[in-house]
Amino acid sequence: MLRRVGEVAYELDLPSSISGVHPVFHMSMLRRYHANLSHVLDFSTIQLDESLGYKEEPVAIIDRQDRQLRSKRIFAIKVQWTGQPIKEATWESEEDMQSRYPHLFPSSGSEADAPGYLSGAHS
């Protein structure tokens, strides 16, 4: 925190990699922080675009499961995302991911032909 601005705002010392973000925040947006080394972010793995946003892309499918509901079967895949460790992988709808990222799925033949698709991941 650099300084207080008026009665209800503070100017923060932000990293140069996000220099496009306005550094003054209303106090309602700020919370007391207790240091924790696991909260340190590695900005070098994140590529920001000109609007200071970034798009996470799926890197690999690391698991697959299907669940039988009363009247239908739902397939889910566990996806590792760009710049994220495997422990941060998320479960996503296989149908949704296949429509948005068809390159992750085998078109026909061997699953090993699809980049990011781990064979033997079916459960």
Side-chain angles (χ1 to χ4, degrees), residues 17-53:
S17 61
I18 56 173
S19 60
V21 175
H22 188 66
V24 177
F25 293 86
H26 188 272
M27 64 191 297
S28 66
M29 301 296 294
L30 305 174
R31 301 283 181 259
R32 182 175 302 275
Y33 177 72
H34 300 284
N36 183 335
L37 293 177
S38 70
H39 294 168
V40 175
L41 299 176
D42 181 9
F43 288 107
S44 66
T45 62
I46 300 174
Q47 299 297 321
L48 298 177
D49 60 24
E50 54 278 347
S51 66
L52 297 176

